Amino acid sequence: MILPSNILILPGWQNSTEGHWQTEWEQAYGYRRVEQHDWLTPKRGDWCARLEEVVADADGPVVLAAHSLGCILVAWWAAHSPNARKVRGALLVAPGDVERPEVAEQIRGWTPIARQALPFAAVLAASSDDPYCTLERARELAGHWGARFVDIGAQGHANAASGLGLWPAGHALLRSLAAPQEGEG
């Protein structure tokens, strides 16, 4: 069984605010946000080092709940970390396409996007009207990462402005990734 403290919330650029499903889950279920040193000027190396530290220190398997730039972080980190083996699964929601010129201009140093298959189970949930990543591009990333693709309909960037609240459908996806594996108690 995965402890609530081992379900790691990975916000994107500028962190997740009140009303964001990640913040709602953290408050309601006791999941743990991976705090970054700089939310406004994110540096890929710094964010990866912080995720590496938190996963390495975890007292058991972890599940990742990533949003936007957090999804891009997971892919890059997993391609380089020996601790990726501690990850049971990852929910990747509304990846931010940092290779789009208008996004790359705001968030520098995050290209290229890692395209290796993730070494753990993953679900990529994408919105049909996300201004930061087209549905087609999200589907393509899911294919590269070996993630199951889920179209969540027109939910914008699946952030606080989307009004998802506790987002029960997303939480069900996360819980499926946290379910005990065969042979576990």
Side-chain angles (χ1 to χ4, degrees), residues 81-93:
S81 172
N83 283 307
R85 63 181 165 63
K86 290 183 76 172
V87 177
R88 165 81 51 80
L91 176 62
L92 309 168
V93 181

Side-chain angles (χ1 to χ4, degrees), residues 25-93:
W25 290 0
E26 181 183 20
Q27 293 169 351
Y29 307 119
Y31 301 160
R32 182 166 48 137
R33 181 179 308 245
V34 175
E35 292 290 345
Q36 295 294 348
H37 301 292
D38 189 346
W39 290 109
L40 301 180
T41 312
K43 294 186 177 29
R44 182 166 64 185
D46 291 349
W47 281 34
C48 282
R50 180 68 180 130
L51 179 55
E52 179 70 9
E53 178 184 6
V54 172
V55 173
D57 289 347
D59 57 359
V62 300
V63 174
L64 309 175
H67 177 256
S68 192
L69 190 60
C71 301
I72 306 306
L73 168 65
V74 168
W76 187 264
W77 171 82
H80 298 91
S81 172
N83 283 307
R85 63 181 165 63
K86 290 183 76 172
V87 177
R88 165 81 51 80
L91 176 62
L92 309 168
V93 181

